Amino acid sequence: MNAALQHRGPDDEGTFVNDEVALGHRRLMIIDLSPAGHQPMTTPDGRYTMVFNGEVYNYREIRKELDYPFRSNTDSEVILAAWQKWGSECVQRFNGMFAIAIRDHHQKQLTLVRDRLGIKPLYWHYSKGQLVFSSEVRALLASGLVEKTIDPDSLVDYLRYQTVQAPDTILKDVNMLKAGSLLRFRLGDQPVVTEYWRPEVKSIQGTTSYEEAKHKVRELFFNSVERRLVADVPFGAFLSGGIDSSAIVGAMSKVSNQTVKTFNISFAEEEFSEARYARHIAEMNGTDHTEIKLSPEDFLNYLPNALAGMDHPSGDGPNTWLVSKVTKEAGVTMALSGLGGDELFAGYPIFKRMMTLDSKKWIWNTPGVFRQLAGTILKTLKPGVASEKMRSLLQMSDYQFADVYAVSRQALMDNQLAGLLNRDALPAHKPATYLSALMNEHPQQVLSNVSIGELSTYMQNVLLRDSDQMSMAHALELRVPFLDHELVEYMLSLPDTIKYPTTPKKLLVDSLPDLLPDYIVNRPKMGFVFPWQHWLKNELHAFVDERLASLAKRDFFNEAAVMNLWKQFKNGDPSVTYSRIWPLVVLEEWMK
């Protein structure tokens, strides 16, 4: 299992084994590069042994409260000392991203902990009285204790959402510990999972003005960036030239006494290239800037390796793999990313769409037959993904926020799926079931509910999982300042009128005017997307065709329907975009 994770921690490895527990660790040295940071780490009295992946950014403050014979300057040892003093309650004090396993040899109990936002992954499998856990699925498979069996319901989840929603995974009997959760396990008992944090819509006590909100956002954002620059190795940042990455690079340049290294990928296809915006921000902040020009041929050469780096299938990721590769080759071991800005500051179109739907929920009071007719007419007059989704929404018996959100976030719709798969019925939508418990129907905070949906599904199970597996494939640690839980909690407490007074992300832009010139703010939003639509039909055609033909022959799928979907895409059917095809290619590559 340890050997399977060598890419995550090439600097050191260690194991701890006794009659009941075996703990393995691979180390990527970032804080205290001395051998004193070696793991597994045990308390001087021998009671607790720990393995840990990630960072606790406020470890220096916590360390001051601890009377403990420290042997290193690591955050790892602070976690161990805090656990010895406060038990599992200590996780409430941690600000960071982490997957922790601590064995209490006296109580004979193992505890697994995952950070609040699910930035660091933690998978587990339990059978026949044994618990196996790891940062990656591939290490669980390497144990020889986990069967390689696809879960048919998770397969549906994957096709709907380009990922499988935690706590499930694509494999039967392999679970992902949910964000903000602990798992406790004693030999002879079943594992017990409890939640210690969840994203919640809590209104601020009293009223907040727009000016106060701007001031608070700025303070929390700068605190977050500063915390994430704690490192004893060279660091950098991914710079797309969009609002989020530009804000992070600007803040880094202000609080760091080193020249910041920045990295950007640009394309030969000019309409997809953000290079000029990134160059502008790099010059403005005096960074040491690297621009990677990427041709489709280059990408095709890298693609098999990028897909091999994918530990769990997902509809995204090769872009992060590539920028991580170049960043690591430039001598950087830790980088900051702008992930989370769209989710917190209402940057995606889904925020506006959900506000519009919520304001028109009276439509669902009209008879179903009229709504279904309207949906059919809409799809006929204006074929495409949006009208396909609207038709599905109008077919719902009533308006439930979580259900409407889940359908709005789908890739393949259920009517498309029904033909693709050899099965009689589709399971319920997992995100809707989970999110209905999290989303409070605050009429003033529709946007916060959408943020909760984004943070708990797409962000956690696509973007964060991909960022971790694709950066760690190159032993590069990625830190995400927008996902500091203090900033997240504050943003979820704000009313819609402050968060979205006129345009997406206005609150973020107004809070950081010195970091975000108009040139960046008013540019068209592109997102860090490759020219997939074009590549799949041209340079990647043979690659895709071969994998889809192979996937179509698997028992789960209806061969003719899979190949027909591919044909529809090539013929320009507006309801079959690349994001409906590419996840199938990834799935086949992963299954193989």
Side-chain angles (χ1 to χ4, degrees), residues 537-553:
K537 291 178 182 175
N538 296 285
E539 291 85 356
L540 291 177
H541 182 276
F543 185 91
V544 172
D545 194 61
E546 187 184 321
R547 278 145 190 85
L548 290 180
S550 172
L551 182 78
K553 288 186 167 57

Side-chain angles (χ1 to χ4, degrees), residues 191-394:
V192 177
V193 177
T194 52
E195 195 178 60
Y196 70 87
W197 186 90
R198 56 163 52 181
E200 287 179 301
V201 179
K202 289 182 182 165
S203 299
I204 287 182
Q205 299 307 310
T207 55
T208 297
S209 70
Y210 193 68
E211 286 303 311
E212 286 172 312
K214 281 192 327 192
H215 179 77
K216 188 68 177 169
V217 165
R218 184 181 181 88
E219 178 194 329
L220 289 169
F221 177 70
F222 267 90
N223 285 351
S224 175
V225 171
E226 195 160 9
R227 278 189 192 118
R228 279 155 187 79
L229 294 182
V230 175
D232 297 332
V233 292
F235 56 79
F238 294 174
L239 177 59
S240 70
I243 288 173
D244 303 332
S245 65
S246 299
I248 282 172
V249 168
M252 286 171 81
S253 302
K254 274 195 171 11
V255 301
S256 174
N257 51 15
Q258 299 177 33
T259 300
V260 176
K261 289 177 165 27
T262 50
F263 300 87
N264 169 264
I265 288 186
S266 64
F267 303 109
E269 289 83 358
E270 198 48 48
E271 72 271 25
F272 286 94
S273 184
E274 300 181 289
R276 65 183 186 278
Y277 302 110
R279 276 198 296 272
H280 184 87
I281 290 295
E283 284 163 19
M284 181 176 132
N285 291 292
T287 74
D288 176 2
H289 189 58
T290 303
E291 194 175 300
I292 309 118
K293 267 253 189 281
L294 189 68
S295 72
E297 293 72 33
D298 294 333
F299 184 65
L300 193 54
N301 291 337
Y302 287 132
L303 196 53
N305 288 340
L307 291 174
M310 196 169 276
D311 177 55
H312 186 283
S314 157
D316 201 24
N319 41 9
T320 309
W321 185 91
L322 205 62
V323 73
S324 298
K325 176 181 187 293
V326 178
T327 304
K328 184 70 178 191
E329 284 169 357
V332 166
T333 305
M334 182 274 283
L336 269 60
S337 154
L339 275 181
D342 285 315
E343 288 75 6
L344 289 189
F345 291 91
Y348 292 134
I350 184 140
F351 284 91
K352 193 166 185 185
R353 196 159 64 236
M354 287 302 295
M355 280 175 86
T356 305
L357 288 168
D358 202 67
S359 69
K360 293 184 165 64
K361 54 186 168 196
W362 54 266
I363 291 171
W364 279 265
N365 296 331
T366 59
V369 63
F370 295 138
R371 284 186 278 115
Q372 290 192 7
L373 181 63
T376 306
I377 292 169
L378 178 70
K379 188 177 181 300
T380 310
L381 293 176
K382 203 175 175 187
V385 173
S387 56
E388 186 72 59
K389 285 187 178 176
M390 199 60 220
R391 185 170 74 151
S392 293
L393 291 172
L394 290 170

Side-chain angles (χ1 to χ4, degrees), residues 479-525:
R479 298 181 178 180
V480 279
F482 280 112
L483 296 185
D484 186 295
H485 72 272
E486 293 173 15
L487 178 58
V488 171
E489 287 171 349
Y490 181 72
M491 286 305 298
L492 291 180
S493 74
L494 293 176
D496 292 353
T497 46
I498 285 182
K499 209 178 290 186
Y500 200 123
T502 49
T503 51
K505 289 166 104 162
K506 183 163 170 58
L507 176 58
L508 179 63
V509 169
D510 290 351
S511 305
L512 307 168
D514 49 331
L515 306 185
L516 298 168
D518 290 348
Y519 179 79
I520 296 299
V521 173
N522 299 323
R523 52 164 285 201
K525 179 172 173 57

Side-chain angles (χ1 to χ4, degrees), residues 387-407:
S387 56
E388 186 72 59
K389 285 187 178 176
M390 199 60 220
R391 185 170 74 151
S392 293
L393 291 172
L394 290 170
Q395 286 171 346
M396 290 179 162
S397 57
D398 63 347
Y399 179 93
Q400 295 290 337
F401 193 91
D403 294 328
V404 171
Y405 169 81
V407 171

